[in-house]
Each structure stands twice: as C-alpha cells, then as structure tokens.
Amino acid sequence: MNSLSLTPQPLTREAFAPFGDVIEASDAVRHFTINAGNTERYHDLAQIEAGPDGKVIVSIFRGQPRTLPFRVEMMERHPLASQAFIPMSGKPYLVVVAPAGAAPKAEDLRVFLARGDQGVNYATGVWHHPLLALETVCDFLVVDRSGNTPNCDEVSLDPGAVIPAL
C-alpha cells in the first residue's frame, strides 16, 4: 500500500497552537528587560503540566540524526502531562504531531520543520513522534513529568506516512 507523503511546514506559533506551544525568543511573546538592563526575559513561554501526582523534571535527550526520506510508523502521547523539547545544539529538527484524542491515522499527521532556536511543548494528550533530529547528533533539554503512574501511550500507524527529503 502506498504511504501518504508528509510535507514539512515551517514551525510557527499559530500553526502549532492546536498541539501546544512554540518556545522561542520572539517579539510576539511577552518580554521585558531585567538584571539592570543586561538581560531580556522572554516570559512564560509554555504551559507546563505535571498532571495528577506528578512532578516537573528536567532531562537532556541526545537524539541520533534521522535520514530523509523517513517513514513515520508510530506515534506516542503523554495522557497525564505536557512534554517540552528545547534544542541545545542549534540545529533544525522535525516535529510530527496529530490532535489529542483517538489514535491517529496517517492523514491526521502534521509535520513542522523547527529551527534550531525553536522549542516545542506538546500539550497533554497530543500525539507526536519521538525526537527527530536531523543532520547530526543533537541534545534537547526536556521538561516533562515524573510520577508513579504510566504516562506514555504508543500506537502503530498502518499504513504509515513518509517525510520526503527536504
């Protein structure tokens, strides 16, 4: 069976809003000067949710580069809390998402090309593909939930979809 081809679009706050938050220093967000004029603070950029009986944790994920074209054959979601990824390597990466709710099908997927200075915060329950670094090994600061209750659901996509070479 032929796979659906997914064309990446630029990551913008407006286009990504149904799935969560874009984390970036931008004139479009609340910002102000602090530290006696030496620092510009870009304030409250993501709605971090720890969920019931959870706590917010900070980790570093080291992603191996993916080769395009790439087959999207699975998705995951975190039903209890949000999950934020902030790139530390300054390299572009891909973000594959589908709306929260029932398990997604290939036609539900959206793909965004994130710049190396843009992070994402997946809203609670939003389906997403695990980390898709491009070009080289990339580190990401990850803000998510730790707790005693499982917080990751995975589904296979049949048929899957393909992200073509850029």
Side-chain angles (χ1 to χ4, degrees):
M1 184 177 296
N2 288 343
S3 294
L4 178 68
S5 180
L6 301 171
T7 303
Q9 65 183 91
L11 180 66
T12 65
R13 296 174 62 78
E14 297 77 21
F16 195 73
F19 311 105
D21 309 298
V22 173
I23 301 169
E24 66 182 331
S26 159
D27 286 340
V29 300
R30 183 173 173 217
H31 60 100
F32 46 91
T33 303
I34 61 172
N35 297 336
N38 289 321
T39 304
E40 190 71 9
R41 177 179 176 147
Y42 293 85
H43 186 72
D44 197 15
L45 299 177
Q47 299 300 310
I48 303 299
E49 300 289 336
D53 300 319
K55 71 173 191 165
V56 174
I57 62 170
V58 175
S59 306
I60 293 176
F61 288 17
R62 180 161 289 157
Q64 300 300 310
R66 306 294 183 121
T67 302
L68 299 179
F70 178 80
R71 287 192 53 77
V72 178
E73 297 176 325
M74 66 81 68
M75 296 288 281
E76 67 178 33
R77 70 175 175 184
H78 304 285
L80 301 178
S82 62
Q83 187 178 45
F85 285 79
I86 300 102
M88 298 171 62
S89 301
K91 301 292 185 186
Y93 62 102
L94 293 174
V95 175
V96 181
V97 290
K105 296 178 174 33
E107 57 268 17
D108 299 325
L109 305 181
R110 302 255 319 259
V111 181
F112 296 94
L113 178 60
R115 299 185 319 259
D117 65 344
Q118 293 178 303
V120 295
N121 181 49
Y122 299 118
T124 301
V126 165
W127 291 99
H128 59 278
H129 193 279
L131 192 56
L132 290 170
L134 299 172
E135 298 178 10
T136 188
V137 174
C138 293
D139 288 347
F140 290 80
L141 185 74
V142 178
V143 180
D144 63 352
R145 175 189 192 273
S146 178
N148 292 326
T149 308
N151 187 34
C152 187
D153 299 329
E154 292 183 3
V155 295
S156 296
L157 297 176
D158 187 22
V162 173
I163 302 170
L166 301 177

